[in-house]
Structure formats: structure tokens, C-alpha cells
Amino acid sequence: YETERSQTIVAVLDTGRMMQSPVGRIAKLDYAINATLLLSYVAAGVGDKVGLLSFAAEVQHYVAPKHGRAQFYRILDELYAVEPRPVEPDYSRGLGYLAKKQRRRALIVLFTDITGGASMDIMVQHVQLLARHSLPLVVTISDPDIHHMASRYPLDSAEMYEQVAASHILQERRVTLERLRRQGVETLDTPANQLSPEVVSRYLELKRKGRI
């Protein structure tokens, strides 16, 4: 998949409160960090520039995209310091900061959670702005427990409440992801245990097709 022209990949980590929620015993953010490491390693290995941004209410870490294995180790060092924050992510601040820093075309891989509400409208707006010059890929982690609760037959009122709540969450996710896709934004909603290989596979596919 190596090409003559080097491309730019920026991994963006939402470290807000919803990324603290676990899938099994591991937080979603930890899965996203592992996927970022593998993506950075593969991209650096084929000669692409790789960079990193993490944010919650404020921008926490930024590594400007560069070539080489040394860049992978810079990103590795930064990821050791990434921690979740018990706050709502400020997409305006995080993605607005990135838009100012990254003016050339890049693949922007945003790891986040979709919860619905006003914050999702803001996220969609800023991802659409990034899409004017870059190719955003919004990556979300599906939770098998939520899917199980939404599909099971309720045996009592408590389980009925859980089923309704789970169905509502899944519907909000579907609506937001479809809204992004209609705007030309790439999306990936995948189980946690498949996240790293799926992200790398999508990156290689987009690279092969010349989309970046």
C-alpha cells in the first residue's frame, strides 16, 4: 500500500467522561489508545506522517504530524500520559484547535462516543468543517451489553426499562452516524475487541483507494 506521495494521519482522542465507560473490564479510552498505537505504528512504517491530539474540556496533548519511527515513539510517550476526564468533551475547542493546526489534507481519525443531545450537533458541525479540506473518520465502539439489552425479551418492569433505554441509545447512534455519512464523513462502529485491526484495515483501504 505504500505510495509515492506521503500522506498525513492524525489520531484524535476524546478523553471525556463517556470514554471512561467500560466494555467488559476495559475503558473505551484504553481500547482507543491501543488502536491509536497500532495505527501510528503501521502508518509510520509505510512512510506516512502521523500525529496525535487529545482533548476533553481542553486540549490536553498535541503532537504535530511527522515522518519516521521516532515519531511513533513520541506518540507512545504522549499516550502514556493520556487520562480520561469526568467532563463533557468540548468538540468546538478540540476540533477547532486541530483545524487551525492541520491546514493540509489529512486523514483525521476521531475516537469518540455518541450520546445524542446538543454536543452531538456540535461534533457533527465541526467534523463537517474538517471535511472541507481533510477526510474525517469517526470511530465509535459498540457495546455488546447494550445490544443484548435492546434485543432481549423483558421479564419484568426493570428489564423493560433497560430495553427501552438501550434501544434509545442505539437509535441515537444510528441517526448520528447516518447523518455523518450523508455529509461524506467516513464512520466506523465496531466491537471493542475488533477496534485496532478494523481501524488499521479502514486506513489501508482509504489509502489504497487514494481517498486520503
Side-chain angles (χ1 to χ4, degrees):
Y1 301 109
E2 193 166 1
T3 61
E4 294 180 1
R5 182 174 64 87
S6 175
Q7 292 147 336
T8 301
I9 318 299
V10 182
V12 180
L13 292 171
D14 162 14
T15 63
R17 66 178 184 86
M18 292 305 297
M19 293 297 282
Q20 289 181 284
S21 60
V23 178
R25 296 183 178 181
I26 302 175
K28 289 183 176 182
L29 180 59
D30 290 330
Y31 282 107
I33 288 172
N34 289 338
T36 298
L37 280 173
L38 184 59
L39 175 63
S40 300
Y41 184 84
V42 173
V46 298
D48 283 343
K49 296 179 180 179
V50 291
L52 171 73
L53 183 141
S54 68
F55 74 98
E58 305 280 348
V59 172
Q60 297 168 331
H61 302 271
Y62 176 69
V63 179
K66 290 184 180 179
H67 295 284
R69 287 296 185 200
Q71 179 71 350
F72 167 75
Y73 290 108
R74 290 188 197 100
I75 290 173
L76 177 62
D77 287 341
E78 291 292 328
L79 288 173
Y80 276 127
V82 169
E83 295 181 351
R85 303 297 172 89
V87 296
E88 293 293 331
D90 189 332
Y91 293 103
S92 296
R93 185 159 293 177
L95 300 183
Y97 181 91
L98 179 62
K100 293 177 182 177
K101 290 287 187 179
Q102 186 59 43
R103 297 188 179 276
R104 294 188 176 184
R105 184 168 179 81
L107 174 64
I108 309 296
V109 184
L110 171 60
F111 296 90
T112 190
D113 196 35
I114 292 179
T115 58
S119 65
M120 287 298 97
D121 291 335
I122 295 171
M123 185 269 283
V124 171
Q125 291 169 11
H126 280 273
V127 169
Q128 289 172 349
L129 291 175
L130 289 173
R132 293 178 180 178
H133 304 291
S134 292
L135 178 62
L137 168 60
V138 176
V139 179
T140 54
I141 300 172
S142 62
D143 188 334
D145 290 338
I146 297 293
H147 285 273
H148 174 70
M149 284 189 288
S151 62
R152 72 182 178 183
Y153 183 82
L155 299 177
D156 53 35
S157 58
E159 289 189 358
M160 182 176 294
Y161 174 79
E162 289 178 348
Q163 183 190 46
V164 170
S167 298
H168 180 68
I169 290 170
L170 293 178
Q171 178 62 17
E172 283 187 330
R173 292 173 71 88
R174 283 192 290 266
V175 168
T176 301
L177 291 171
E178 179 58 31
R179 182 180 172 189
L180 288 165
R181 285 191 286 266
R182 287 200 304 267
Q183 298 299 323
V185 175
E186 292 285 326
T187 65
L188 179 62
D189 185 37
T190 188
N193 63 351
Q194 299 175 26
L195 182 66
S196 294
E198 288 286 348
V199 168
V200 171
S201 177
R202 180 65 66 87
Y203 152 66
L204 292 174
E205 177 188 357
L206 294 170
K207 185 176 177 66
R208 184 178 64 248
K209 292 180 177 179
R211 297 282 312 283
I212 304 174

